[in-house]
């Protein structure tokens, strides 16, 4: 049985993202499979999704400026009623190809992460899409619970903590399988002004860290100015928000609409 899991808390994502992710998985996996969402609210979630409560953790999840740590709930010795290997998927990624190989790749007892192109000079995995045996990460959770705030401040990103502390070390999925939208699909500036993002060959999953979500990729523009044409992007220079930083950074932050994202990111 192939087991896919996700986690949802609060109101940022919710049923539309959960239902859409389930549909993408169902279109790109060979049955039998089980899709489990650990969530604090089951309202509006389609019946095919196995909803289970958020796993309990005996500490307060730390809040920092950059890192997001609620996935620490998944690291305990038990994970609902699941056993064996699970493939975790973020709610805001796009499935573009078969997921079958993610369940057979490498050592079944090892934690296997996606590659992280945002940190090319550091061997750090990406947990937007990763596989692990239930209970394998329990020693790591114990380290985290001993001082959550210190761990969050020291490692900044949860995926760095997983990379460096997973029992037995980690492996990485093949580079081609999981692609980062901004770093590996979006053409280099200034080509991104004129050429739509591409889907690299043999990509199975596209991840969207950094604020440019699938809905932005579909409409074009950028986060906060979704749907902007290139002319609107340029005319908006005097009104660009302070969070954009320099003019150079603002100019680079633009994408043409991505038809392939629209075709994949749907129920």
């Amino acid at each position: 049985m192939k087991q896919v899991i996700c986690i949802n808390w609060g109101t940022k994502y919710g049923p539309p993202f959960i239902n859409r992710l389930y549909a993408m998985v169902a279109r790109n996996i060979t049955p039998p499979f089980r899709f489990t969402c650990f969530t604090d609210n089951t309202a509006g979630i389609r019946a095919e999704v196995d909803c289970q409560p958020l796993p309990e953790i005996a500490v307060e999840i730390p809040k920092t400026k950059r890192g997001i740590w609620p996935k620490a709930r998944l690291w305990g010795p038990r994970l609902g009623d699941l056993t064996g290997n699970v493939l975790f998927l973020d709610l805001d990624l796009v499935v573009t190809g078969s997921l079958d190989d993610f369940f057979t790749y490498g050592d079944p007892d090892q934690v296997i992460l996606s590659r992280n192109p945002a940190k090319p000079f550091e061997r750090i995995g990406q947990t937007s899409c990763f596989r692990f045996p239930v209970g394998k990460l329990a020693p790591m959770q114990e380290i985290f619970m001993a001082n959550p705030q210190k761990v969050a401040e020291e490692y900044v990103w949860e995926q760095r903590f997983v990379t460096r502390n997973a029992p037995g070390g980690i492996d990485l999925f093949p580079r081609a399988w999981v692609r980062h939208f901004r770093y590996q699909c979006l053409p280099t500036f200034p080509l991104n002004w004129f050429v739509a993002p591409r889907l690299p060959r043999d990509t199975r999953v596209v991840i969207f860290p950094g604020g440019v979500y699938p809905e932005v990729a579909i409409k074009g523009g950028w986060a906060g100015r979704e749907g902007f044409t290139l002319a609107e992007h340029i005319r908006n220079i005097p009104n660009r928000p302070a969070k954009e930083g320099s003019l150079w950074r603002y100019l680079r932050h633009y994408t043409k609409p991505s038809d392939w994202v629209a075709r994949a990111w749907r129920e």
Side-chain angles (χ1 to χ4, degrees):
M1 174 72 74
K2 301 179 183 75
Q3 299 181 130
V4 179
I5 67 169
C6 63
I7 186 171
N8 176 74
W9 66 91
T11 58
K12 183 177 180 179
Y13 296 107
F17 284 82
I18 299 165
N19 295 341
R20 191 182 293 115
L21 181 60
Y22 171 85
M24 289 189 291
V25 168
R27 288 194 295 270
N28 291 282
I29 199 169
T30 302
F33 76 97
R34 181 181 183 184
F35 185 98
T36 300
C37 180
F38 295 97
T39 181
D40 56 2
N41 186 355
T42 63
I45 299 175
R46 58 192 294 170
E48 299 94 330
V49 176
D50 167 38
C51 292
Q52 299 199 31
L54 288 174
E56 294 183 1
I57 189 168
V59 294
E60 183 177 352
I61 300 295
K63 296 179 181 179
T64 61
K65 290 184 178 180
R66 290 185 288 177
I68 300 174
W69 292 84
K71 289 181 190 176
R73 292 177 175 275
L74 305 174
W75 302 341
R78 289 173 297 280
L79 193 54
D81 63 1
L82 302 180
T83 59
N85 266 313
V86 294
L87 178 68
F88 174 86
L89 299 177
D90 268 348
L91 289 173
D92 59 359
L93 55 70
V94 175
V95 182
T96 60
S98 174
L99 297 173
D100 291 349
D101 290 338
F102 286 93
F103 296 92
T104 58
Y105 179 82
D107 185 339
D109 192 47
Q110 195 161 28
V111 179
I112 306 182
L113 279 65
S114 307
R115 296 171 187 268
N116 192 329
K119 299 291 178 183
F121 302 111
E122 178 182 1
R123 188 177 186 267
I124 177 174
Q126 173 62 253
T127 57
S128 293
C129 170
F130 80 113
R131 194 188 83 203
F132 62 97
V134 171
K136 177 80 173 184
L137 301 178
M140 194 177 73
Q141 191 184 65
E142 292 178 5
I143 297 172
F144 173 76
M145 290 195 303
N147 196 331
Q149 194 65 38
K150 179 181 178 182
V151 168
E153 291 172 357
E154 177 182 351
Y155 289 90
V156 183
W157 293 288
E158 162 264 338
Q159 55 260 35
R160 178 180 283 147
F161 180 69
V162 176
T163 300
R164 296 184 182 175
N165 293 277
I170 65 158
D171 193 3
L172 298 171
F173 287 124
R175 192 180 309 275
W177 291 5
V178 183
R179 298 289 189 169
H180 188 301
F181 180 79
R182 287 188 299 118
Y183 284 95
Q184 296 174 308
C185 301
L186 190 66
T188 304
F189 178 79
L191 290 178
N192 60 305
W193 279 16
F194 312 104
V195 179
R198 69 185 185 94
L199 179 63
R201 183 179 179 181
D202 203 29
T203 302
R204 288 98 182 283
V205 171
V206 179
I207 60 175
F208 288 79
V212 178
Y213 300 118
E215 56 264 45
V216 178
I218 292 170
K219 295 178 180 178
W222 206 257
R225 50 183 188 278
E226 293 86 347
F228 271 32
T229 64
L230 179 57
E232 289 171 326
H233 175 63
I234 295 172
R235 285 200 300 268
N236 192 57
I237 289 173
N239 303 315
R240 69 186 189 277
K243 66 180 181 180
E244 289 281 358
S246 68
L247 173 61
W248 171 250
R249 187 170 184 266
Y250 172 85
L251 290 173
R252 288 187 292 117
H253 284 182
Y254 179 79
T255 178
K256 292 181 69 65
S258 306
D259 291 343
W260 55 268
V261 177
R263 290 193 299 271
W265 200 60
R266 59 179 175 83
E267 277 202 60

